[in-house]
Amino acid sequence: QVQLVESGGGLVQAGGSLRLSCVVSGRTFNSYDMGWFRQAPGKEREFVAVIRWSGSSTYYADSVKGRFTISRDNAKNTVYLQMNNLKPEDTAVYYCAADFVTGWALGTQMSEYDYWGQGTQVTVSS
């Protein structure tokens, strides 16, 4: 069983930064592409970013491109989401997810992911 635990959320003013972490345990971390999703109140969960198991490729939602950076440290079984220039519309619960690698495509749909964390709240005040 794979377990994912997020941390690093909090309250920040618009224009500020936060760094989310997600520690993965239970299976070989580098067997998984890792993604971040978010869910705002009253909205569906949406894709934010994904990183290949090797760290060699990343992909971002248009809404966060140029502001957020996803990275991973396979030696620490950890994936990160550095969020800069935060906006009130970034307020959401952020979830990390693990997608067991079966092909070349990076997943952007929830259904492509096998394991999920419990989420961490990010609140951006205006």
Side-chain angles (χ1 to χ4, degrees):
Q1 186 70 15
V2 177
Q3 295 182 327
L4 290 74
V5 179
E6 302 99 333
S7 62
L11 173 64
V12 64
Q13 289 187 332
S17 298
L18 283 175
R19 187 196 197 199
L20 305 184
S21 299
C22 174
V23 179
V24 180
S25 60
R27 291 287 178 90
T28 304
F29 182 60
N30 60 10
S31 297
Y32 294 89
D33 295 336
M34 296 297 300
W36 286 96
F37 288 74
R38 66 186 181 185
Q39 187 166 17
K43 295 187 177 182
E44 294 186 352
R45 195 172 299 188
E46 64 175 5
F47 167 76
V48 173
V50 59
I51 186 166
R52 194 174 300 284
W53 66 269
S54 61
S56 61
S57 298
T58 59
Y59 184 75
Y60 297 90
D62 287 344
S63 59
V64 306
K65 201 172 295 182
R67 300 187 298 121
F68 291 10
T69 302
I70 188 171
S71 61
R72 65 191 294 161
D73 185 337
N74 285 354
K76 295 183 178 180
N77 285 13
T78 303
V79 61
Y80 304 97
L81 186 68
Q82 177 67 43
M83 305 185 294
N84 297 330
N85 190 21
L86 282 160
K87 303 176 181 180
E89 51 263 44
D90 295 317
T91 295
V93 177
Y94 283 71
Y95 299 88
C96 69
D99 175 14
F100 185 75
V101 177
T102 57
W104 190 248
L106 293 175
T108 62
Q109 304 299 314
M110 288 179 55
S111 59
E112 297 176 273
Y113 287 80
D114 304 289
Y115 301 98
W116 293 83
Q118 83 290 349
T120 185
Q121 176 70 47
V122 171
T123 303
V124 184
S125 63
S126 57

